[in-house]
Amino acid sequence: MRPERGRPSRREAAYERRFPTCPLIPMFVASDTVNEYKSEDEAIHVIERRCKLDIDAPRLLKKIAGVDYVYFVQKNSLNRRERTLHIEAYNETFSNRVIINEHCSYTVHPDNEDWTCFEQSASLDIKSFFGFESTVEKIAMKQYTSNIKKGKEIIEYYLKQLEEEGITFVPRWTPPVACKLESSTSHPRRPVSPAINIPDSATKEGLSNKEILNTTSSPSEPTAGTPDDKLDADYIKRYLGDLTPMQESCLIRLRQWLQETHKGKIPKDEHILRFLRARDFNIDKAREILCQSLTWRKQHQVDYILDTWNPPQVLQDYYAGGWHHHDKDGRPLYVLRLGQMDTKGLVRALGEEALLRYVLSINEEGLRRCEENTKVFGRPISSWTCLVDLEGLNMRHLWRPGVKALLRIIEVVEANYPETLGRLLILRAPRVFPVLWTLVSPFIDDNTRKKFLIYAGNDYQGPGGLLDYIDKEIIPDFLGGECMCEVPEGGLVPKSLYRTAEELENEDIKLWTETIYQSASVFKGAPHEVLIQIVDASSVITWDFDVCKGDIVFNIFHSKRAPQPPKKDSLGAHSITSPGGNNVQLIDKVWQLGCDYSMVESPLICKEGESVQGSHVTRWPGFYILQWKFHSMPACATTNLPRVDDVLASLQVSSHKCKVMYYTEVIGSEDFRGSMTSLESSHSGFSQLSAATTSSSQSHSSSMISR
């Protein structure tokens, strides 16, 4: 989110001057209005335009494509009541080959209503383009980057134009006089209500402004944004630290969203705040990474790792790292003697997965210690300090599989433990360190890199060194201090403890499948299917799954005869096992729906990031097939015949891949706890709130019918 000076009303007027064409954007040739809507009170103005663009592309590419211009559809939604402008754009030309979506929004800054906040995001999906896919991607990125740089310049150009015409102030929208009179006569003693944010879901469902206002809470009930909904000042000071009103509001809104939609364990405010800080309090971005992390924690049972997992003895003996008191700011201090650690030996003896799990347990212990120190010191402590001693680091540490394991660990920690590293002190960095740093640094977030302090040789003993951050009494003995450090000294792992690649592979599978959930890959044209045999009618099939990647359609079928055992695809594209999980297809291609098998539940469309739980009471014995199918967007063409592009794209399954994590169980009806009317699919809508209610009601009704 980027705040910019300038009254929003003037910016709206300036923005409208970009149409039908703009001299500052040479490629913007023309635009035509295709649809327009204005509310009676003129508060809402929605306009849809078809824009003609002359893309700066090689002449040969234009000739092969057979076009001189490309067309985009842009929809602008102006809400003068809420003082927001939302812009959506997508390509009309070559939409079957390339999918481009762009979103922009202008809103009023919460701390200064004379400022405008601007947010912009875009996505690009190239299916195929005459063999010039990489060229098209470069052109698209170049044009998008150019537009971002010019956006502010264009707005300021038209603002200056307004000033030259003597327009220095555009009054804010006010309700028509008739509305004011009606309001004053109908409710003469009613206090003025606070401003109410119209939820996106309401506008999408087509509710009028009157209907929306009628469904909001009365002034006596606390609503989002009112003083009653604010966090207690003492609580903020004690556990969260200094927060601006906007940051506090972001925390409340994200927490409330999780409480309403997430079915699992809700993280504490301190942890939610870490994800918000990692994305500069952009709620949409923070919500995305937080929900991905919650799914990951659920899949790998990370919440229970400290209670259920004991590190192998090799790690306890040779992993040269451990917790050691705290720094001057009260942060827990973790000491890692990386230079004394045999990374190659640990990888050969344990594999990547065991090392990764051990690092996760360290991070979980770090979170627990932060909570303890917050209570001890009486102030919020949400991160820890890491001291890394590199004495002894040599080319052995640059062993490729070891570096690969390190990069993977960094990637997982960065994604799931943001803003937990308060400071990283790297001591006694040798000459080989720049080589390791060059390999590792691109995978470390910019904000995290700023927390790194690197000392060569004995520089850490001088001014600005270790004593600035750690009390003299707790400096470890191996660094010249007086405090005995119980961190293992490391050393070479005996080769007798090394394992073969096959042993490590089996051990990795064992480590990461200590969960009731299974992973599956879903491809375009290759659904994943699970067979459940039912002997007694009225049994209850239950399911719980998370959509980790892509959008899928969930179906339940019944057949009186058992399907044939799955076979590997002859082309190998849809093999039974894949790196991302299993892919099993049970329904024979010659089977006909309605003849060989029947659908017993309405299809349920599930978006990426959603968590779905549900049940189905079986009506007949036989074979039930649970199916997760790739969700294809509806074709734009008017014909029902398959297009050549679609056929070619369907063969490129790697670019049309979804992932699900699921658990199923069959329960006897007499053992099922709860009323039968509760058998419905419930979404934990990570990314699509509005879809959850619709899908749930559909599944509920079909479950009731099949009873």
Side-chain angles (χ1 to χ4, degrees):
M1 181 168 65
R2 185 174 73 237
E4 299 174 352
R5 294 181 180 274
R7 289 186 174 274
S9 299
R10 289 185 63 228
R11 286 192 175 274
E12 293 162 8
Y15 178 81
E16 284 299 319
R17 294 205 170 197
R18 291 178 54 176
F19 303 97
T21 185
C22 176
L24 296 182
I25 311 178
M27 72 170 184
F28 185 20
V29 179
S31 64
D32 299 314
T33 301
V34 295
N35 196 7
E36 188 171 9
Y37 164 79
K38 286 185 179 180
S39 60
E40 292 184 6
D41 58 2
E42 297 186 351
I44 307 296
H45 183 197
V46 181
I47 185 167
E48 194 170 348
R49 296 182 177 94
R50 187 169 183 261
C51 303
K52 181 179 179 182
L53 305 180
D54 184 7
I55 301 295
D56 182 16
R59 186 176 179 184
L60 176 61
L61 183 60
K62 288 186 176 182
K63 189 173 182 180
I64 293 174
V67 297
D68 291 323
Y69 303 100
V70 296
Y71 291 88
F72 274 71
V73 176
Q74 186 184 66
K75 181 180 178 181
N76 300 342
S77 303
L78 174 64
N79 187 329
R80 293 188 174 92
R81 180 183 291 104
E82 298 297 329
R83 304 177 72 191
T84 61
L85 173 62
H86 296 286
I87 305 165
E88 302 173 34
Y90 61 90
N91 62 305
E92 182 183 275
T93 307
F94 298 120
S95 59
N96 60 325
R97 295 179 178 273
V98 181
I99 299 175
I100 301 174
N101 288 296
E102 185 176 0
H103 301 273
C104 306
S105 67
Y106 293 86
T107 57
V108 179
H109 195 283
D111 296 333
N112 189 334
E113 65 174 15
D114 288 340
W115 289 4
T116 302
C117 292
F118 171 72
E119 294 184 60
Q120 183 170 356
S121 63
S123 63
L124 171 66
D125 182 11
I126 303 174
K127 296 179 180 178
S128 62
F129 205 86
F130 312 104
F132 290 90
E133 290 79 12
S134 60
T135 304
V136 172
E137 182 179 5
K138 291 178 182 177
I139 292 173
M141 294 303 297
K142 178 182 176 182
Q143 297 286 356
Y144 183 67
T145 304
S146 175
N147 289 345
I148 291 178
K149 291 180 179 179
K150 273 200 169 185
K152 186 175 180 180
E153 175 188 339
I154 293 169
I155 288 292
E156 291 179 346
Y157 169 81
Y158 286 114
L159 284 172
K160 185 177 180 181
Q161 193 178 83
L162 288 170
E163 291 177 1
E164 291 173 353
E165 296 175 8
I167 304 174
T168 57
F169 174 76
V170 177
R172 286 177 55 177
W173 174 89
T174 55
V177 178
C179 295
K180 291 182 179 179
L181 292 174
E182 182 182 349
S183 176
S184 61
T185 55
S186 301
H187 310 284
R189 298 180 182 178
R190 185 172 179 175
V192 178
S193 300
I196 300 171
N197 290 324
I198 300 176
D200 293 338
S201 57
T203 55
K204 288 179 180 178
E205 293 169 8
L207 295 178
S208 66
N209 298 327
K210 184 176 180 181
E211 289 171 323
I212 294 169
L213 292 174
N214 287 339
T215 58
T216 57
S217 304
S218 63
S220 61
E221 300 173 350
T223 58
T226 66
D228 293 336
D229 198 40
K230 290 185 177 180
L231 297 173
D232 181 74
D234 292 336
Y235 169 74
I236 294 177
K237 183 179 180 181
R238 181 75 169 75
Y239 295 100
L240 303 180
D242 295 331
L243 295 177
T244 67
M246 183 186 73
Q247 293 171 343
E248 181 185 340
S249 173
C250 289
L251 173 60
I252 293 172
R253 287 158 59 192
L254 184 52
R255 183 183 63 186
Q256 184 178 5
W257 182 86
L258 285 170
Q259 290 170 342
E260 293 173 353
T261 62
H262 183 54
K263 302 298 180 183
K265 182 180 178 181
I266 303 297
K268 297 180 180 179
D269 286 347
E270 301 94 300
H271 200 54
I272 298 175
L273 201 54
R274 290 186 179 102
F275 285 87
L276 284 167
R277 284 175 173 147
R279 291 298 180 266
D280 296 325
F281 286 87
N282 182 309
I283 288 187
D284 290 336
K285 293 181 180 179
R287 177 171 59 188
E288 180 181 356
I289 60 172
L290 175 57
C291 291
Q292 290 173 355
S293 179
L294 291 175
T295 300
W296 170 83
R297 294 182 72 88
K298 178 179 178 181
Q299 180 178 12
H300 299 302
Q301 304 288 287
V302 178
D303 289 331
Y304 312 105
I305 194 170
L306 293 178
D307 300 324
T308 60
W309 187 68
N310 293 317
Q313 192 62 42
V314 179
L315 278 172
Q316 298 180 41
D317 294 339
Y318 295 98
Y319 190 92
W323 294 99
H324 180 76
H325 301 285
H326 56 79
D327 68 3
K328 287 187 175 182
D329 295 321
R331 296 189 185 105
L333 176 62
Y334 189 84
V335 175
L336 180 65
R337 303 185 68 178
L338 185 60
Q340 303 299 315
M341 195 158 61
D342 181 10
T343 53
K344 179 177 181 179
L346 288 173
V347 173
R348 291 290 301 273
L350 296 167
E352 288 184 31
E353 299 299 333
L355 280 174
L356 175 58
R357 177 164 286 200
Y358 190 54
V359 173
L360 297 183
S361 69
I362 293 171
N363 280 270
E364 290 297 305
E365 175 66 17
L367 295 177
R368 187 185 66 79
R369 287 175 178 260
C370 284
E371 291 184 17
E372 289 182 355
N373 286 19
T374 296
K375 297 175 183 177
V376 171
F377 292 99
R379 62 178 185 272
I381 295 172
S382 60
S383 60
W384 53 82
T385 293
C386 186
L387 187 156
V388 181
D389 179 24
L390 296 183
E391 185 181 52
L393 189 78
N394 53 46
M395 294 303 294
R396 180 182 175 86
H397 292 86
L398 300 181
W399 181 58
R400 186 174 179 83
V403 174
K404 177 187 172 187
L406 177 61
L407 295 179
R408 185 177 174 217
I409 289 171
I410 291 174
E411 183 181 11
V412 172
V413 172
E414 281 280 305
N416 297 284
Y417 299 92
E419 297 297 313
T420 53
L421 182 64
R423 184 179 295 116
L424 180 65
L425 303 170
I426 300 177
L427 310 184
R428 302 197 280 195
R431 291 183 177 181
V432 74
F433 173 71
V435 180
L436 180 62
W437 178 249
T438 302
L439 296 172
V440 171
S441 59
F443 296 87
I444 301 174
D445 181 77
D446 289 338
N447 291 333
T448 304
R449 254 183 282 178
K450 295 175 183 176
K451 303 170 184 176
F452 285 31
L453 294 172
I454 303 173
Y455 301 90
N458 293 324
D459 291 349
Y460 70 92
Q461 297 176 346
L466 208 53
L467 284 173
D468 285 11
Y469 307 103
I470 300 175
D471 290 327
K472 181 180 180 180
E473 295 78 17
I474 64 170
I475 291 181
D477 52 346
F478 63 85
L479 291 175
E482 301 176 357
C483 185
M484 291 296 295
C485 185
E486 297 180 358
V487 173
E489 294 183 1
L492 293 177
V493 178
K495 291 187 177 181
S496 60
L497 298 177
Y498 286 11
R499 300 190 186 185
T500 64
E502 292 76 12
E503 289 174 332
L504 289 175
E505 184 178 356
N506 293 333
E507 183 69 16
D508 288 348
I509 294 172
K510 179 182 176 183
L511 282 170
W512 283 108
T513 52
E514 292 172 358
T515 168
I516 59 175
Y517 293 90
Q518 298 184 56
S519 296
S521 297
V522 179
F523 303 95
K524 189 171 184 179
H528 177 69
E529 296 164 343
V530 173
L531 180 66
I532 298 176
Q533 184 175 3
I534 297 296
V535 178
D536 300 323
S538 298
S539 296
V540 182
I541 301 174
T542 65
W543 58 82
D544 178 1
F545 65 86
D546 292 328
V547 185
C548 305
K549 178 182 178 182
D551 299 344
I552 59 102
V553 180
F554 178 62
N555 291 302
I556 307 177
F557 302 103
H558 173 264
S559 175
K560 293 181 180 179
R561 56 176 175 147
Q564 294 296 319
K567 297 180 180 180
K568 278 196 174 184
D569 194 316
S570 59
L571 294 176
H574 305 148
S575 59
I576 294 177
T577 59
S578 67
N582 292 333
N583 177 260
V584 178
Q585 300 167 55
L586 299 168
I587 299 177
D588 198 303
K589 294 181 179 180
V590 299
W591 278 20
Q592 294 184 1
L593 184 63
C595 180
D596 299 287
Y597 66 109
S598 59
M599 182 180 292
V600 296
E601 286 276 6
S602 298
L604 190 66
I605 299 175
C606 308
K607 301 292 185 180
E608 180 175 329
E610 289 182 341
S611 179
V612 182
Q613 302 84 35
S615 308
H616 173 81
V617 182
T618 61
R619 187 174 180 180
W620 314 279
F623 300 91
Y624 286 80
I625 299 173
L626 275 57
Q627 181 192 75
W628 290 268
K629 184 180 179 181
F630 183 89
H631 177 52
S632 301
M633 297 300 291
C636 300
T638 56
T639 176
N640 292 325
L641 294 175
R643 296 171 297 190
V644 174
D645 295 334
D646 295 333
V647 175
L648 292 174
S650 67
L651 297 176
Q652 301 172 354
V653 294
S654 60
S655 61
H656 296 85
K657 180 179 179 180
C658 302
K659 289 183 180 179
V660 293
M661 181 185 72
Y662 67 92
Y663 168 71
T664 63
E665 184 179 359
V666 178
I667 305 173
S669 58
E670 66 279 1
D671 298 326
F672 188 82
R673 297 181 180 180
S675 66
M676 289 300 182
T677 57
S678 67
L679 302 181
E680 57 182 278
S681 289
S682 58
H683 271 54
S684 172
F686 285 169
S687 58
Q688 295 291 331
L689 289 175
S690 59
T693 306
T694 307
S695 300
S696 297
S697 61
Q698 289 175 350
S699 181
H700 171 69
S701 61
S702 49
S703 293
M704 293 294 291
I705 292 171
S706 63
R707 257 168 56 184

